[in-house]
Coordinates of all heavy atoms in Angstrom, one line a residue:
I1 N -42.5 4.1 7.7 CA -43.3 3.7 8.8 C -42.6 4.1 10.1 O -41.4 3.8 10.2 CB -43.5 2.2 8.8 CG1 -44.2 1.7 7.6 CG2 -44.3 1.7 10.0 CD1 -45.5 2.3 7.3
H2 N -43.3 4.7 11.0 CA -42.7 5.0 12.3 C -43.3 4.2 13.4 O -44.5 4.0 13.5 CB -42.9 6.5 12.7 CG -42.1 7.4 11.8 ND1 -40.8 7.8 12.1 CD2 -42.4 8.0 10.6 CE1 -40.4 8.5 11.2 NE2 -41.3 8.8 10.2
V3 N -42.4 3.5 14.1 CA -42.9 2.7 15.3 C -42.3 3.3 16.5 O -41.1 3.3 16.7 CB -42.4 1.2 15.1 CG1 -42.9 0.4 16.2 CG2 -43.0 0.7 13.8
R4 N -43.1 3.9 17.4 CA -42.6 4.5 18.6 C -41.5 5.5 18.3 O -40.5 5.5 18.9 CB -42.1 3.4 19.6 CG -43.2 2.5 20.0 CD -42.7 1.5 21.1 NE -43.6 0.4 21.1 CZ -43.2 -0.8 21.3 NH1 -42.0 -1.1 21.5 NH2 -44.1 -1.8 21.4
G5 N -41.8 6.3 17.3 CA -40.8 7.4 16.9 C -39.7 6.9 16.0 O -38.8 7.7 15.7
R6 N -39.6 5.6 15.7 CA -38.5 5.1 14.9 C -39.1 4.4 13.6 O -40.1 3.7 13.8 CB -37.6 4.1 15.7 CG -36.9 4.7 16.7 CD -35.9 3.6 17.3 NE -36.5 2.3 17.2 CZ -36.0 1.3 17.9 NH1 -35.0 1.5 18.7 NH2 -36.5 0.1 17.8
W7 N -38.4 4.5 12.6 CA -38.8 3.7 11.4 C -38.3 2.3 11.5 O -37.2 2.1 11.9 CB -38.2 4.4 10.1 CG -38.7 3.7 8.9 CD1 -39.8 4.0 8.2 CD2 -38.0 2.8 8.1 NE1 -39.9 3.2 7.1 CE2 -38.8 2.5 7.0 CE3 -36.8 2.1 8.2 CZ2 -38.4 1.5 6.0 CZ3 -36.4 1.2 7.3 CH2 -37.2 0.9 6.2
S8 N -39.2 1.3 11.2 CA -38.8 0.0 11.3 C -39.1 -0.8 10.1 O -40.3 -1.0 9.7 CB -39.5 -0.7 12.5 OG -39.2 -2.1 12.6
A9 N -38.1 -1.2 9.4 CA -38.3 -2.1 8.2 C -38.9 -3.4 8.5 O -39.8 -3.9 7.7 CB -36.9 -2.3 7.5
R10 N -38.6 -3.9 9.6 CA -39.2 -5.2 10.0 C -40.7 -5.2 10.0 O -41.4 -6.1 9.5 CB -38.6 -5.6 11.4 CG -39.4 -6.9 11.9 CD -38.8 -7.3 13.2 NE -37.6 -8.0 12.9 CZ -36.9 -8.6 13.9 NH1 -37.2 -8.5 15.1 NH2 -35.7 -9.2 13.6
E11 N -41.3 -4.1 10.7 CA -42.7 -4.1 10.7 C -43.4 -3.9 9.3 O -44.4 -4.5 9.1 CB -43.2 -2.9 11.7 CG -42.8 -3.1 13.1 CD -43.3 -4.4 13.7 OE1 -44.5 -4.7 13.5 OE2 -42.6 -5.1 14.4
E12 N -42.8 -3.1 8.5 CA -43.3 -2.9 7.2 C -43.2 -4.2 6.4 O -44.1 -4.6 5.7 CB -42.5 -1.8 6.5 CG -43.1 -1.5 5.1 CD -44.4 -0.9 5.0 OE1 -44.9 -0.5 6.1 OE2 -45.0 -0.9 3.9
I13 N -42.1 -4.9 6.5 CA -42.0 -6.2 5.8 C -42.9 -7.2 6.2 O -43.5 -7.9 5.4 CB -40.5 -6.6 5.8 CG1 -39.6 -5.7 5.0 CG2 -40.3 -8.1 5.3 CD1 -38.1 -5.9 5.2
K14 N -43.2 -7.2 7.5 CA -44.1 -8.2 8.0 C -45.5 -8.0 7.5 O -46.2 -9.0 7.1 CB -44.3 -8.1 9.6 CG -43.2 -8.7 10.3 CD -43.4 -8.6 11.8 CE -42.3 -9.2 12.7 NZ -42.5 -9.0 14.1
K15 N -45.9 -6.8 7.3 CA -47.2 -6.4 6.7 C -47.3 -6.9 5.2 O -48.2 -7.4 4.8 CB -47.5 -4.9 6.8 CG -47.8 -4.5 8.2 CD -47.9 -3.0 8.2 CE -48.0 -2.4 9.6 NZ -48.1 -0.9 9.6
L16 N -46.2 -6.6 4.5 CA -46.1 -6.9 3.1 C -46.1 -8.4 2.9 O -46.7 -8.9 2.0 CB -44.9 -6.2 2.4 CG -45.0 -4.7 2.4 CD1 -43.7 -4.1 1.9 CD2 -46.2 -4.2 1.5
I17 N -45.4 -9.1 3.7 CA -45.2 -10.6 3.6 C -46.5 -11.3 3.9 O -46.7 -12.3 3.3 CB -44.0 -11.1 4.5 CG1 -42.7 -10.7 3.9 CG2 -44.1 -12.6 4.6 CD1 -41.5 -11.0 4.7
A18 N -47.3 -10.8 4.8 CA -48.5 -11.4 5.2 C -49.3 -11.9 4.0 O -49.9 -13.0 4.0 CB -49.3 -10.5 6.1
G19 N -49.4 -11.1 2.9 CA -50.2 -11.5 1.8 C -49.4 -11.8 0.5 O -49.9 -11.9 -0.6
A20 N -48.1 -11.9 0.7 CA -47.2 -12.1 -0.4 C -47.0 -13.5 -0.8 O -47.2 -14.5 0.0 CB -45.9 -11.4 -0.2
K21 N -46.6 -13.7 -2.1 CA -46.2 -15.1 -2.6 C -44.8 -15.3 -2.2 O -44.0 -14.4 -1.9 CB -46.5 -15.2 -4.0 CG -47.9 -15.1 -4.4 CD -48.0 -15.2 -5.9 CE -49.5 -15.0 -6.3 NZ -49.8 -15.1 -7.7
E22 N -44.3 -16.6 -2.3 CA -42.9 -16.9 -1.9 C -41.9 -16.1 -2.6 O -40.9 -15.7 -2.0 CB -42.8 -18.4 -2.1 CG -41.5 -18.9 -1.6 CD -41.3 -20.4 -1.8 OE1 -42.3 -21.1 -1.7 OE2 -40.2 -20.9 -2.1
G23 N -42.0 -15.9 -3.9 CA -41.0 -15.1 -4.7 C -40.9 -13.7 -4.2 O -39.8 -13.1 -4.1
Y24 N -42.0 -13.1 -3.8 CA -42.0 -11.8 -3.3 C -41.3 -11.7 -1.9 O -40.6 -10.8 -1.6 CB -43.4 -11.2 -3.2 CG -44.0 -10.9 -4.5 CD1 -45.2 -11.7 -5.0 CD2 -43.6 -9.9 -5.4 CE1 -45.7 -11.4 -6.2 CE2 -44.0 -9.7 -6.6 CZ -45.2 -10.4 -7.0 OH -45.7 -10.2 -8.2
I25 N -41.5 -12.8 -1.1 CA -40.9 -12.8 0.2 C -39.4 -12.8 0.0 O -38.6 -12.0 0.7 CB -41.4 -14.0 1.0 CG1 -42.8 -13.9 1.3 CG2 -40.5 -14.2 2.2 CD1 -43.5 -15.2 1.9
R26 N -38.8 -13.6 -0.9 CA -37.4 -13.6 -1.2 C -36.9 -12.2 -1.6 O -35.9 -11.7 -1.2 CB -37.1 -14.6 -2.3 CG -37.0 -16.0 -1.7 CD -36.4 -17.0 -2.7 NE -37.0 -18.2 -2.5 CZ -37.7 -18.9 -3.4 NH1 -37.9 -18.5 -4.6 NH2 -38.1 -20.1 -3.1
M27 N -37.7 -11.6 -2.5 CA -37.3 -10.2 -3.0 C -37.3 -9.2 -1.8 O -36.3 -8.4 -1.7 CB -38.4 -9.8 -4.0 CG -38.0 -8.4 -4.5 SD -36.3 -8.3 -5.4 CE -36.7 -9.3 -6.8
F28 N -38.2 -9.3 -0.8 CA -38.1 -8.4 0.3 C -36.9 -8.6 1.1 O -36.2 -7.7 1.6 CB -39.4 -8.5 1.2 CG -40.6 -8.0 0.6 CD1 -41.8 -8.8 0.5 CD2 -40.7 -6.7 0.1 CE1 -42.9 -8.3 -0.1 CE2 -41.8 -6.2 -0.4 CZ -43.0 -7.0 -0.5
I29 N -36.5 -9.9 1.3 CA -35.4 -10.2 2.1 C -34.1 -9.7 1.4 O -33.2 -9.1 2.0 CB -35.3 -11.7 2.4 CG1 -36.4 -12.1 3.3 CG2 -33.9 -12.1 2.9 CD1 -36.6 -13.6 3.4
I30 N -34.0 -9.9 0.1 CA -32.9 -9.4 -0.7 C -32.8 -7.9 -0.6 O -31.7 -7.4 -0.4 CB -33.0 -9.9 -2.1 CG1 -32.7 -11.4 -2.2 CG2 -31.9 -9.1 -3.0 CD1 -33.1 -12.0 -3.5
M31 N -33.9 -7.2 -0.8 CA -33.9 -5.7 -0.7 C -33.5 -5.2 0.7 O -32.7 -4.2 0.8 CB -35.3 -5.2 -1.1 CG -35.7 -5.4 -2.5 SD -37.3 -5.1 -3.0 CE -37.7 -3.5 -2.1
R32 N -33.9 -5.9 1.7 CA -33.6 -5.5 3.1 C -32.2 -5.7 3.3 O -31.5 -4.8 3.9 CB -34.4 -6.4 4.0 CG -34.2 -6.1 5.5 CD -35.3 -6.9 6.3 NE -35.2 -6.6 7.7 CZ -34.6 -7.3 8.6 NH1 -33.9 -8.4 8.2 NH2 -34.6 -7.0 9.9
H33 N -31.6 -6.8 2.9 CA -30.1 -7.0 3.1 C -29.4 -6.0 2.2 O -28.4 -5.4 2.8 CB -29.8 -8.5 2.6 CG -28.3 -8.8 2.6 ND1 -27.7 -9.0 3.8 CD2 -27.5 -8.9 1.7 CE1 -26.5 -9.2 3.5 NE2 -26.2 -9.2 2.2
T34 N -29.8 -5.7 1.0 CA -29.1 -4.8 0.2 C -29.0 -3.4 0.8 O -28.0 -2.7 0.8 CB -29.7 -4.7 -1.2 OG1 -29.6 -6.0 -1.8 CG2 -29.0 -3.8 -2.1
A35 N -30.2 -3.0 1.3 CA -30.3 -1.7 2.0 C -29.3 -1.6 3.2 O -28.6 -0.6 3.3 CB -31.7 -1.4 2.4
A36 N -29.2 -2.7 4.0 CA -28.3 -2.7 5.1 C -26.9 -2.6 4.7 O -26.1 -1.9 5.3 CB -28.6 -4.0 5.9
V37 N -26.5 -3.4 3.6 CA -25.2 -3.3 3.1 C -24.8 -1.9 2.6 O -23.7 -1.4 3.0 CB -24.9 -4.3 2.0 CG1 -23.6 -4.1 1.3 CG2 -25.0 -5.7 2.5
H38 N -25.7 -1.3 1.9 CA -25.5 0.1 1.5 C -25.3 1.1 2.6 O -24.4 2.0 2.6 CB -26.6 0.6 0.5 CG -26.4 0.0 -0.9 ND1 -25.5 0.5 -1.8 CD2 -27.1 -1.0 -1.5 CE1 -25.6 -0.2 -2.9 NE2 -26.6 -1.1 -2.7
M39 N -26.1 0.9 3.6 CA -26.0 1.8 4.9 C -24.6 1.6 5.5 O -23.9 2.6 5.8 CB -27.1 1.5 5.8 CG -28.4 2.0 5.4 SD -29.7 1.8 6.7 CE -30.3 0.2 6.4
A40 N -24.2 0.3 5.6 CA -22.9 0.1 6.2 C -21.7 0.6 5.4 O -20.8 1.3 5.9 CB -22.7 -1.5 6.4
L41 N -21.9 0.5 4.0 CA -20.8 1.0 3.2 C -20.7 2.5 3.3 O -19.7 3.1 3.0 CB -21.1 0.6 1.7 CG -20.8 -0.9 1.4 CD1 -21.4 -1.2 0.0 CD2 -19.4 -1.2 1.5
E42 N -21.9 3.2 3.5 CA -21.9 4.6 3.7 C -21.5 5.1 5.1 O -21.5 6.3 5.4 CB -23.3 5.2 3.4 CG -23.6 5.1 1.9 CD -22.7 5.9 1.0 OE1 -22.3 7.0 1.4 OE2 -22.3 5.4 0.0
G43 N -21.1 4.2 6.0 CA -20.7 4.6 7.3 C -21.7 4.7 8.3 O -21.4 5.3 9.4
V44 N -22.9 4.3 8.1 CA -24.0 4.5 9.0 C -23.6 3.6 10.3 O -23.2 2.5 10.1 CB -25.4 4.1 8.5 CG1 -26.4 4.0 9.5 CG2 -25.7 5.0 7.3
P45 N -23.7 4.1 11.5 CA -23.4 3.3 12.6 C -24.2 2.1 12.7 O -25.4 2.0 12.4 CB -23.7 4.2 13.8 CG -23.6 5.6 13.3 CD -24.1 5.5 11.8
I46 N -23.6 1.0 13.1 CA -24.2 -0.4 13.2 C -25.5 -0.3 14.0 O -26.5 -0.9 13.7 CB -23.2 -1.4 13.7 CG1 -22.1 -1.6 12.6 CG2 -23.9 -2.7 14.0 CD1 -22.6 -2.2 11.3
R47 N -25.4 0.4 15.1 CA -26.6 0.5 16.0 C -27.8 1.1 15.2 O -29.0 0.7 15.4 CB -26.4 1.3 17.2 CG -25.5 0.6 18.2 CD -25.3 1.4 19.4 NE -25.2 0.4 20.5 CZ -25.4 0.6 21.8 NH1 -25.7 1.9 22.1 NH2 -25.3 -0.3 22.7
E48 N -27.6 2.1 14.4 CA -28.6 2.7 13.6 C -29.2 1.7 12.6 O -30.4 1.6 12.3 CB -28.2 4.0 12.9 CG -28.0 5.1 13.9 CD -27.5 6.4 13.2 OE1 -28.0 6.7 12.1 OE2 -26.8 7.2 13.8
I49 N -28.3 1.0 11.9 CA -28.7 -0.1 10.9 C -29.5 -1.1 11.6 O -30.6 -1.5 11.1 CB -27.5 -0.7 10.2 CG1 -26.7 0.3 9.5 CG2 -28.0 -1.9 9.4 CD1 -25.4 -0.2 8.9
A50 N -29.2 -1.5 12.8 CA -29.9 -2.5 13.6 C -31.3 -2.0 13.9 O -32.3 -2.7 13.8 CB -29.3 -2.8 14.9
A51 N -31.4 -0.6 14.2 CA -32.7 -0.1 14.5 C -33.6 0.0 13.3 O -34.8 -0.4 13.3 CB -32.5 1.4 15.1
V52 N -33.1 0.3 12.1 CA -33.8 0.3 10.9 C -34.3 -1.0 10.5 O -35.5 -1.2 10.2 CB -33.0 0.9 9.7 CG1 -33.7 0.7 8.4 CG2 -32.7 2.4 10.0
L53 N -33.5 -2.0 10.8 CA -33.9 -3.4 10.4 C -34.8 -4.0 11.4 O -35.4 -5.0 11.2 CB -32.6 -4.3 10.3 CG -31.6 -4.0 9.2 CD1 -30.4 -4.8 9.3 CD2 -32.3 -4.1 7.9
G54 N -34.9 -3.4 12.6 CA -35.8 -3.9 13.6 C -35.2 -4.9 14.5 O -35.9 -5.6 15.2
H55 N -33.8 -5.0 14.5 CA -33.2 -6.0 15.4 C -33.3 -5.5 16.8 O -33.2 -4.3 17.1 CB -31.7 -6.1 15.0 CG -31.5 -6.7 13.7 ND1 -30.3 -6.7 13.0 CD2 -32.3 -7.4 12.9 CE1 -30.4 -7.3 11.9 NE2 -31.6 -7.8 11.8
K56 N -33.5 -6.4 17.7 CA -33.7 -6.0 19.2 C -32.3 -5.6 19.8 O -32.3 -4.8 20.6 CB -34.2 -7.2 19.9 CG -35.6 -7.5 19.5 CD -36.3 -8.5 20.5 CE -37.6 -9.0 20.1 NZ -38.6 -8.1 19.7
N57 N -31.2 -6.1 19.3 CA -30.0 -5.6 19.7 C -29.0 -5.7 18.4 O -29.4 -6.2 17.4 CB -29.3 -6.4 20.9 CG -29.1 -7.8 20.5 OD1 -28.4 -8.2 19.5 ND2 -29.6 -8.7 21.3
S58 N -27.9 -5.1 18.5 CA -27.0 -4.9 17.3 C -26.0 -6.1 17.1 O -25.3 -6.1 16.2 CB -26.2 -3.7 17.4 OG -25.4 -3.6 18.6
R59 N -26.1 -7.1 18.0 CA -25.2 -8.3 17.8 C -25.3 -8.9 16.4 O -24.4 -9.2 15.7 CB -25.4 -9.3 19.0 CG -24.5 -10.4 18.9 CD -24.6 -11.3 20.1 NE -24.3 -12.7 19.7 CZ -25.2 -13.6 19.4 NH1 -26.4 -13.4 19.5 NH2 -24.8 -14.8 19.0
I60 N -26.5 -9.3 16.1 CA -26.8 -9.9 14.8 C -26.3 -9.0 13.7 O -25.8 -9.4 12.7 CB -28.2 -10.5 14.6 CG1 -28.3 -11.8 14.1 CG2 -29.0 -9.7 13.6 CD1 -28.0 -13.0 14.6
T61 N -26.6 -7.8 13.8 CA -26.3 -6.8 12.8 C -24.8 -6.7 12.6 O -24.3 -6.7 11.5 CB -26.9 -5.4 13.1 OG1 -28.2 -5.5 13.6 CG2 -26.8 -4.5 12.0
E62 N -24.1 -6.6 13.7 CA -22.6 -6.6 13.7 C -22.1 -7.9 13.0 O -21.1 -7.8 12.1 CB -22.1 -6.5 15.1 CG -22.3 -5.2 15.7 CD -21.9 -5.2 17.2 OE1 -21.4 -6.2 17.8 OE2 -22.0 -4.1 17.8
E63 N -22.6 -9.0 13.3 CA -22.1 -10.3 12.7 C -22.3 -10.3 11.2 O -21.4 -10.8 10.5 CB -22.8 -11.5 13.4 CG -22.4 -11.8 14.8 CD -23.2 -12.9 15.5 OE1 -23.9 -13.6 14.7 OE2 -23.1 -13.0 16.7
V64 N -23.3 -9.8 10.7 CA -23.7 -9.9 9.3 C -23.1 -8.7 8.5 O -22.5 -8.9 7.4 CB -25.2 -10.0 9.1 CG1 -25.5 -10.0 7.6 CG2 -25.7 -11.2 9.8
Y65 N -23.2 -7.5 9.1 CA -23.0 -6.3 8.2 C -21.7 -5.5 8.6 O -21.2 -4.6 7.9 CB -24.2 -5.3 8.3 CG -25.4 -6.0 7.8 CD1 -26.4 -6.3 8.6 CD2 -25.5 -6.2 6.4 CE1 -27.5 -7.0 8.2 CE2 -26.7 -6.9 6.0 CZ -27.7 -7.3 6.8 OH -28.8 -7.9 6.4
L66 N -21.1 -5.8 9.7 CA -19.9 -5.0 10.2 C -18.7 -5.1 9.1 O -18.0 -4.1 8.9 CB -19.4 -5.5 11.5 CG -18.3 -4.6 12.2 CD1 -18.8 -3.2 12.4 CD2 -17.8 -5.2 13.5
K67 N -18.6 -6.2 8.5 CA -17.5 -6.3 7.5 C -17.6 -5.3 6.4 O -16.6 -5.1 5.6 CB -17.4 -7.8 7.0 CG -18.6 -8.2 6.3 CD -18.5 -9.7 5.9 CE -19.9 -10.3 5.5 NZ -20.5 -11.1 6.6
F68 N -18.8 -4.8 6.1 CA -19.0 -3.8 5.1 C -18.7 -2.4 5.5 O -18.6 -1.5 4.7 CB -20.5 -3.9 4.5 CG -20.8 -5.3 3.9 CD1 -21.6 -6.2 4.5 CD2 -20.3 -5.7 2.7 CE1 -21.9 -7.4 4.1 CE2 -20.5 -6.8 2.1 CZ -21.4 -7.7 2.8
H69 N -18.6 -2.2 6.8 CA -18.5 -0.8 7.3 C -17.0 -0.4 7.0 O -16.1 -1.1 7.2 CB -18.7 -0.9 8.8 CG -19.0 0.5 9.4 ND1 -18.0 1.4 9.7 CD2 -20.2 1.1 9.6 CE1 -18.6 2.5 10.1 NE2 -20.0 2.4 10.1
P70 N -16.9 0.9 6.5 CA -15.5 1.4 6.2 C -14.5 1.5 7.3 O -13.4 1.4 7.1 CB -15.8 2.8 5.6 CG -17.1 3.2 6.0 CD -17.9 1.9 6.3
D71 N -15.0 1.5 8.5 CA -14.1 1.6 9.7 C -13.7 0.2 10.2 O -12.8 0.1 11.1 CB -14.7 2.4 10.8 CG -14.9 3.9 10.5 OD1 -14.1 4.3 9.7 OD2 -15.8 4.5 11.1
F72 N -14.3 -0.8 9.7 CA -14.0 -2.2 10.2 C -12.5 -2.5 10.0 O -12.1 -2.4 8.9 CB -14.9 -3.2 9.5 CG -14.7 -4.6 9.9 CD1 -15.0 -5.0 11.2 CD2 -14.3 -5.6 9.0 CE1 -14.8 -6.3 11.7 CE2 -14.2 -6.9 9.4 CZ -14.4 -7.2 10.7
Q73 N -11.9 -2.8 11.0 CA -10.5 -3.3 11.0 C -9.5 -2.1 10.6 O -8.3 -2.4 10.3 CB -10.3 -4.5 10.2 CG -11.0 -5.7 10.7 CD -10.7 -6.9 10.0 OE1 -10.3 -7.0 8.8 NE2 -11.0 -8.1 10.6
R74 N -10.0 -0.9 10.5 CA -9.1 0.2 10.1 C -7.9 0.3 11.0 O -6.8 0.6 10.6 CB -9.9 1.5 10.0 CG -9.1 2.7 9.5 CD -9.9 3.9 9.3 NE -10.7 3.6 8.1 CZ -11.6 4.3 7.6 NH1 -11.9 5.5 8.2 NH2 -12.3 4.0 6.5
E75 N -8.1 0.3 12.4 CA -7.1 0.5 13.3 C -6.0 -0.7 13.3 O -4.9 -0.5 13.4 CB -7.7 0.6 14.7 CG -8.4 1.9 15.0 CD -7.7 3.1 14.7 OE1 -6.5 3.2 15.2 OE2 -8.2 4.0 14.0
A76 N -6.6 -1.9 13.0 CA -5.7 -3.1 12.8 C -4.7 -2.9 11.6 O -3.5 -3.2 11.7 CB -6.5 -4.3 12.7
V77 N -5.3 -2.4 10.6 CA -4.5 -2.2 9.3 C -3.5 -1.1 9.6 O -2.3 -1.2 9.1 CB -5.4 -1.9 8.2 CG1 -4.6 -1.4 6.9 CG2 -6.3 -3.1 7.8
K78 N -3.9 0.0 10.2 CA -3.0 1.1 10.5 C -1.8 0.6 11.4 O -0.6 0.9 11.1 CB -3.7 2.2 11.3 CG -4.4 3.1 10.5 CD -5.0 4.2 11.3 CE -5.9 5.1 10.6 NZ -6.6 6.1 11.5
A79 N -2.0 -0.3 12.4 CA -1.0 -0.8 13.2 C 0.0 -1.7 12.4 O 1.2 -1.6 12.6 CB -1.6 -1.7 14.3
L80 N -0.4 -2.4 11.3 CA 0.4 -3.1 10.5 C 1.3 -2.2 9.6 O 2.4 -2.6 9.1 CB -0.3 -4.1 9.6 CG -1.0 -5.2 10.4 CD1 -1.9 -6.0 9.5 CD2 0.0 -6.1 11.1
E81 N 0.8 -1.0 9.3 CA 1.5 -0.1 8.3 C 2.6 0.6 9.0 O 3.5 1.1 8.3 CB 0.5 0.9 7.8 CG -0.6 0.2 6.8 CD -1.6 1.2 6.3 OE1 -1.7 2.3 6.9 OE2 -2.3 0.9 5.3
T82 N 2.6 0.6 10.3 CA 3.7 1.4 11.0 C 4.9 0.5 11.3 O 5.0 -0.6 11.2 CB 3.2 2.0 12.3 OG1 2.7 1.0 13.1 CG2 2.1 3.0 12.0

């Protein structure tokens, strides 16, 4: 789905949830979270993950998914190794 030139999982999920049962809603949330974790593990920039998820800013995305990003705390660990 493209929203103003960008794909937005949030808009697609809203449409699917509108007629879904409770169990399906949980499944969508789990799938959305899993997709975001996989993107972070692959090194996708947090801002891009936020855009895909439909977050208005990347703050919430950083709080939840930054720990999965391969560059997270890399510089801190390097400083300890020297």
